[in-house]
Amino acid sequence: MWHDGRLCYGGDYNPEQWPAEVWAEDVALMRRARVTLVTVGVFAWSRLEPAPGQYCFDWLDQVLDLLHDGGIRVALATPTASPPPWFSLAHPGALPVTVDGVRLHHGSRDTYCAAAPAYRSAARRVTAALADRYARHPAVALWRVHNEYGTTCHCEHTARAFRRWLAGRYGDLDTLNDAWVTSFWSQHYSDWAQISTPRATQYLGNPGHLLDFRRFWSDTLLAAYAEQRDLLRAVAPQTPVTTNYVLGDWVPVDHARWAREVDLVAVDHYPSAVDGGAEEQTALVGDLARGWARHAAADPTWLLMESAPQQIHTTGRAHTKEPGRMLRHSLAHVARGSHGAMFFQWRASAGGAERFHSALVPHAGPDSRVFREAVELGAVLERLTEVRGRVEASVALAVDASSAWALRHPGLPSTRVDHHEELAAAHRALWHAGYGCDTVAPGEALDGYRLLVLPALYLTDDATAEWIRAYVHRGGHLLATYLSGTADAHARIRLGGYPGALRDVLGVRVEEFHPLADGDEVRLADGGTGRIWAETVHPTGAETVTTYAGGVLDGSPAITRHRHGTGTAWYVSTRPDDTTYRRLLDSAARAADIAPVCPDAPAGVEAVRRLHPGGSWLFLLNHTDRARRVPARGRDLLTDTEVDEAVTLPPGGVAVLRERLPSATGDETTT
Ligand code: GAL
């Protein structure tokens, strides 16, 4: 077991930035805040190996012993995300090269090429040394490999590895030429050596080339992770290994695929919006992480590995979180299956690039609002130890890294279509309407889901099309949004009318796209509006749910519904505004016989239910600045009081109810 039953609470801890006197104070403060787990050593390479092959572990020995004596467990990190200056100077060929061919220099972090042999062997060496030293240290509960794999490189090492990867994937150049449609613009390759990484070029790049580079690079980073993992497992087979996922459009990692290679899915989450957006994003990330965790080899639990205690970072400004918001965000993650809440970082640095990043112990020290809230959070998490089980969800949202990457290619009819934004829009609508949802990868088992949503699932290979078709055929409800089904696994367009692979199941044939300009809207006959995209849709069996109103598409179908087998398939050819989308998904969910998690919860109160054969727990999070009364029954674990009819949540307040379940005799029993 990688945890000791308690929820994980703590964060990145950087003792290498502080003199030893501070370490003792840190442990005392951690005990006050009931911290259970800290990550140590993430960027400590130059302290651990000050010169090639010379290790300095004394300080870490002391730190781990102190933490252990204080009852605090450690996620011991390998420091390989930040090679020391001596490494970069000795191996300039291992420095990364940008898409424009510029070689980067040390002086920050993450400055290495993950395909460079010198980097890989130095990373293995320091990992092996760390593993040898600490494999049996009683404080070490978890290995955290590296930090947020996500760098990219276009150097010659990368190009060579890319060619090897392509040869493995395609076998011969004819197959590759066909997959990439290199007949276009004279791009035919007659020798493997002609293929480079997709560097900056005169005009639009080739979609197949761009897509395969992303896939290859995800595999390369994964191999870099896996070789460290294997070294750690070899000496410490009892200690699970993970790496913290970074999320964002730029990340070249297929997280679902990676999940099969970690013992525990760990994600970092830093919302980028302030008003309500942070809560919507938090809910989505929790659902994504849980979806990835279902692929993980050992344990379907996941962990919020990093989050910011006190700030929300938006472009150009750090917003200070209001009192209580850190607790609410943390519980939103725990509600969605995170085995705790971890932060970046424990103590705010006195200098360095992130000197103003927030921390549980801020620059002001422990006599601060943030630290008092940290102490409160520790106490709250202790009260939630009993919570377990799956999250109630009857809606599945499909997520696919390849679709996301392909929709960012140049040359699409609109630069505004984005798989993740489509996913977020659908999730937001479901979240506001109060439905629990899981994210799924194409091909995953869909038993138990009554509604499957495909948010611009642009790349739909034949197996995925069959997966969708079979789901609807046997009675499932499907809602597909525009561009789903349009391309094949190589991003080649499926001919004969959009949405390509899904025409039969959706009962429509789309003839033309009408991408909309920024700020433009199309009106819908039901009173709603559409943004970003519109289409000329011809029903070929589907009924029209609503039409476009006005403009060139006046009277033509905008949203349709089709019976296929014993199921129903909705098609949405535009991006409905939030209210319309919410109404639409509400109708689709009700038609699929799905109820909201807490049908009587007032607007602005998030409800998430965890279910286990031995119990049921309802998380209620009031995201509004008014008190909210929620009809519910059970024992509030936070206040240790009985709730008979309703709980009143103060502004920004939370409750976690151990629900009463009806017993066989019809009476209610507390679980
Ligand atoms: C994370 C990273 C941390 C820290 C944090 C600041 O992405 O893992 O090391 O940089 O961002 O927001």
Side-chain angles (χ1 to χ4, degrees):
M1 190 77 144
W2 62 274
H3 56 80
D4 59 1
R6 296 178 297 173
L7 291 173
C8 298
Y9 174 47
D12 279 30
Y13 176 42
N14 303 112
E16 69 275 17
Q17 295 176 11
W18 302 98
E21 308 82 79
V22 178
W23 304 344
E25 187 198 350
D26 281 327
V27 174
L29 290 174
M30 285 176 194
R31 287 176 62 81
R32 223 162 103 195
R34 301 172 208 232
V35 161
T36 61
L37 181 78
V38 290
T39 304
V40 180
V42 184
F43 298 114
W45 196 341
S46 64
R47 278 295 298 272
L48 290 169
E49 191 183 1
Q54 284 177 28
Y55 297 102
C56 175
F57 289 124
D58 299 0
W59 67 276
L60 189 53
D61 292 350
Q62 280 182 55
V63 168
L64 293 193
D65 291 350
L66 266 176
L67 288 165
H68 182 61
D69 293 345
I72 294 152
R73 289 153 64 96
V74 171
L76 189 55
T78 68
T80 53
S82 210
W86 60 252
F87 171 81
S88 310
L89 291 168
H91 304 282
L95 287 166
V97 171
T98 66
V99 72
D100 301 312
V102 176
R103 197 174 280 283
L104 301 179
H105 290 267
H106 64 271
S108 180
R109 67 176 182 191
D110 289 314
T111 316
Y112 56 85
C113 164
Y119 167 74
R120 292 278 281 269
S121 76
R124 285 194 301 268
R125 206 176 55 214
V126 69
T127 297
L130 207 61
D132 276 352
R133 183 85 178 188
Y134 298 110
R136 272 158 295 281
H137 195 288
V140 178
L142 189 66
W143 294 107
R144 172 168 147 185
V145 170
H146 201 84
N147 188 64
E148 298 191 334
Y149 278 101
T151 53
T152 309
C153 177
H154 289 267
C155 74
E156 257 317 301
H157 297 299
T158 307
R160 270 197 296 278
F162 185 37
R163 290 191 280 269
R164 280 197 300 275
W165 185 91
L166 290 169
R169 181 173 175 85
Y170 292 107
D172 58 67
L173 279 172
D174 286 348
T175 314
L176 176 142
N177 279 306
D178 180 53
W180 289 6
V181 196
T182 55
S183 50
F184 191 84
W185 281 351
S186 181
Q187 287 171 356
H188 184 88
Y189 293 105
S190 53
D191 191 319
W192 291 100
Q194 295 164 357
I195 304 175
S196 63
T197 66
R199 285 253 188 129
T201 188
Q202 184 68 15
Y203 190 40
L204 313 178
N206 175 299
H209 187 195
L210 290 165
L211 181 60
D212 275 339
F213 181 66
R214 284 287 198 144
R215 289 170 167 153
F216 147 75
W217 195 246
S218 177
D219 285 358
T220 303
L221 293 179
L222 183 57
Y225 157 77
E227 68 189 16
Q228 288 196 35
R229 175 201 61 196
D230 295 346
L231 285 168
L232 297 166
R233 274 189 186 160
V235 289
Q238 74 291 353
T239 309
V241 187
T242 189
T243 183
N244 49 331
Y245 286 5
V246 58
L247 310 177
D249 327 355
W250 53 275
V251 178
V253 166
D254 180 346
H255 291 122
R257 189 164 144 65
W258 278 51
R260 293 184 217 119
E261 305 290 335
V262 296
D263 296 324
L264 163 75
V265 165
V267 304
D268 296 351
H269 184 228
Y270 296 93
S272 58
V274 173
D275 294 324
E279 285 67 33
E280 292 164 354
Q281 291 176 8
T282 298
L284 173 57
V285 164
D287 289 339
L288 279 166
R290 197 173 64 257
W292 294 322
R294 278 197 308 277
H295 303 274
D299 189 342
T301 314
W302 63 279
L303 181 62
L304 173 69
M305 188 58 105
E306 285 183 22
S307 55
Q310 187 219 3
Q311 291 165 343
I312 297 174
H313 290 267
T314 61
T315 317
R317 178 180 82 98
H319 171 89
T320 300
K321 283 189 189 177
E322 296 71 6
R325 210 167 179 187
M326 170 171 88
L327 174 73
R328 234 166 48 244
H329 286 180
S330 301
L331 291 203
H333 283 296
V334 173
R336 288 183 159 72
S338 172
H339 194 78
M342 303 281 291
F343 292 86
F344 180 88
Q345 53 195 330
W346 166 251
R347 185 184 278 278
S349 323
E354 292 184 333
R355 61 209 174 284
F356 283 114
H357 200 285
S358 68
L360 293 170
V361 181
H363 287 150
D367 183 11
S368 57
R369 168 181 74 95
V370 180
F371 187 69
R372 282 187 283 279
E373 289 195 28
V375 172
E376 184 196 352
L377 176 56
V380 164
L381 291 173
E382 252 189 19
R383 292 176 162 269
L384 300 182
T385 314
E386 67 178 59
V387 176
R388 65 202 65 237
R390 69 181 181 85
V391 173
E392 183 179 292
S394 301
V395 183
L397 276 164
V399 191
D400 175 45
S402 288
S403 286
W405 294 336
L407 281 177
R408 298 220 175 87
H409 291 161
L412 289 155
S414 167
T415 54
R416 306 178 61 221
V417 183
D418 182 288
H419 177 62
H420 283 299
E421 281 186 17
E422 290 303 317
L423 170 76
H427 189 273
R428 191 162 62 234
L430 288 161
W431 186 75
H432 281 287
Y435 294 99
C437 49
D438 282 344
T439 57
V440 297
E444 210 179 302
L446 292 173
D447 314 316
Y449 298 115
R450 291 200 287 270
L451 175 63
L452 169 65
V453 179
L454 309 180
L457 194 76
Y458 175 59
L459 250 60
T460 306
D461 61 19
D462 295 345
T464 302
E466 196 38 50
W467 171 70
I468 295 163
R469 204 170 284 125
Y471 170 74
V472 181
H473 196 82
R474 60 171 189 268
H477 290 241
L478 173 77
L479 187 138
T481 77
Y482 60 91
L483 281 173
S484 297
T486 300
D488 71 6
H490 302 291
R492 292 176 303 202
I493 305 307
R494 292 174 176 277
L495 304 179
Y498 319 113
L502 302 179
R503 283 198 303 266
D504 59 340
V505 74
L506 293 166
V508 295
R509 179 168 167 272
V510 172
E511 190 186 330
E512 273 189 302
F513 299 147
H514 301 265
L516 306 182
D518 250 358
D520 272 7
E521 285 180 359
V522 278
R523 282 193 296 114
L524 303 177
D526 66 1
T529 57
R531 319 230 153 113
I532 301 177
W533 196 261
E535 293 178 337
T536 307
V537 179
H538 299 295
T540 54
E543 59 173 308
T544 299
V545 174
T546 193
T547 60
Y548 291 103
V552 289
L553 291 172
D554 187 40
S556 84
I559 299 174
T560 61
R561 190 172 44 211
H562 184 226
R563 289 293 294 173
H564 178 83
T566 50
T568 303
W570 302 66
Y571 183 60
V572 185
S573 68
T574 183
R575 160 80 81 73
D577 62 77
D578 281 359
T579 312
T580 308
Y581 209 174
R582 177 177 165 176
R583 217 171 44 221
L584 173 67
L585 277 166
D586 203 30
S587 311
R590 283 172 201 277
D593 213 13
I594 304 171
V597 173
C598 184
D600 300 322
V605 173
E606 174 176 3
V608 185
R609 182 171 283 116
R610 297 284 296 274
L611 292 164
H612 186 263
S616 166
W617 294 267
L618 182 65
F619 285 70
L620 296 169
L621 312 172
N622 179 4
H623 298 305
T624 75
D625 54 9
R626 301 257 180 93
R628 289 280 186 249
R629 186 171 184 276
V630 189
R633 284 189 285 191
R635 186 160 197 89
D636 186 347
L637 300 180
L638 304 190
T639 54
D640 206 18
T641 53
E642 219 41 52
V643 172
D644 285 325
E645 276 179 24
V647 60
T648 299
L649 303 168
V654 292
V656 182
L657 303 186
R658 184 197 301 137
E659 291 188 297
R660 293 183 202 155
L661 297 179
S663 73
T665 59
D667 303 335
E668 283 181 341
T669 53
T670 302
T671 58

